[in-house]
Amino acid sequence: MKRPFDPILVEVIRNQIAAITEEMTLTVYRTGRSGMCKVGDFATAVCDRYGRLVGEGGSPYQMCVFIDTMENVLAKHGKSLNPGDIIIANDPYCGISHMPDITLIAPAFWKDQLAGFMISYSHHTDIGGRFAGGISSLCQSSFEEGVRIPMLKLYDAGKRNDVLLEQIVANVRTPEEWVGDVDAKVASCWKGQEQLAKLNDKYGMPQCNAAWADLVDSSERVTRA
């Protein structure tokens, strides 16, 4: 039996999603190694199973970027996602803003069903390339700006791709800091998955999906108005 629309429950779920993104944000802030994580150049988000943003934390200007990011994630990995996967990317040609912005995307499952996605991004102090920091007006092509990471699985079914990580670390100037920031974002995604599972345990995934669909629809109505 279909439940009647409950605006109060929708608002409760919206605030609980906001709490999830806040916990994800605090995880990056407290455990990240670089100064970028301390000054706030990072963001987190929760998306529904269709890749639509339903919650945001940290730097809000990244939210428009994440829309393109999720389209590319679903296009490349939509049919091969497993529990324990975490995708890493910084490629501007697949929806990331620029190469120092290392973004992690983790599918979240509930009772073997895809329930949503966790996104955790931060600006890294180096990504290789011609200049420290990877950004200079003297760069004439993207190849000079650093290492491009095109939507690859950093974790595949819970197992870390150490070969990929070693290849990246060999090309950056601050390897320990770089890995520390990545690990902070991994922990952030895990925290988000844990809390989303609790939300689905409490209300059921159909109810959460319905609430998120209403939030997306109402956001569109308000924006158009």
Side-chain angles (χ1 to χ4, degrees):
M1 180 179 178
K2 186 177 179 180
R3 295 184 182 181
F5 174 70
D6 186 346
I8 295 176
L9 182 56
V10 170
E11 185 67 10
V12 169
I13 292 175
R14 184 185 73 82
N15 280 277
Q16 291 196 329
I17 289 295
I20 292 174
T21 58
E22 184 174 355
E23 286 199 54
M24 293 172 66
T25 298
L26 288 172
T27 300
V28 176
Y29 177 74
R30 289 172 177 168
T31 62
R33 294 286 297 276
S34 74
M36 293 296 184
C37 292
K38 303 309 176 186
V39 300
D41 195 352
F42 64 92
T44 63
V46 175
C47 300
D48 68 7
R49 56 183 173 167
Y50 304 111
R52 301 178 299 183
L53 267 72
V54 295
E56 61 185 49
S59 303
Y61 56 81
Q62 288 293 331
M63 299 305 114
C64 58
V65 176
F66 291 161
I67 294 171
D68 287 337
T69 300
M70 286 308 307
E71 288 181 0
N72 284 279
V73 167
L74 292 171
K76 184 171 183 177
H77 295 287
K79 296 180 180 180
S80 61
L81 294 170
N82 301 296
D85 285 357
I86 298 181
I87 297 161
I88 185 171
N90 76 335
D91 189 354
Y93 296 98
C94 64
I96 312 299
S97 49
H98 62 170
M99 290 187 198
D101 288 353
I102 309 300
T103 305
L104 269 58
I105 307 100
F109 288 81
W110 184 74
K111 295 184 178 180
D112 297 324
Q113 298 181 72
L114 180 63
F117 293 87
M118 306 295 136
I119 303 179
S120 190
Y121 130 89
S122 73
H123 183 117
H124 283 232
T125 53
D126 190 75
I127 188 56
R130 182 179 174 187
F131 299 98
I135 300 175
S136 172
S137 59
L138 297 177
C139 292
Q140 298 183 23
S141 74
S142 62
F143 299 105
E144 296 180 73
E145 294 183 359
V147 180
R148 273 172 59 189
I149 311 169
M151 293 287 176
L152 301 175
K153 286 190 178 183
L154 178 63
Y155 282 77
D156 190 351
K159 183 179 180 180
R160 191 171 76 173
N161 187 341
D162 289 325
V163 173
L164 170 61
L165 192 59
E166 287 177 16
Q167 181 65 40
I168 297 170
V169 167
N171 286 280
V172 299
R173 295 172 176 85
T174 54
E176 291 184 2
E177 178 188 275
W178 203 93
V179 173
D181 283 0
V182 167
D183 286 343
K185 287 177 284 191
V186 170
S188 171
C189 289
W190 286 343
K191 174 59 71 174
Q193 291 172 328
E194 174 188 290
Q195 295 303 315
L196 182 60
K198 291 180 179 179
L199 186 65
N200 282 312
D201 286 339
K202 187 173 184 179
Y203 298 110
M205 197 164 76
Q207 183 65 65
C208 289
N209 289 340
W212 293 350
D214 181 76
L215 290 172
V216 171
D217 291 342
S218 62
S219 295
E220 181 178 356
R221 289 195 301 270
V222 171
T223 302
R224 291 184 181 279

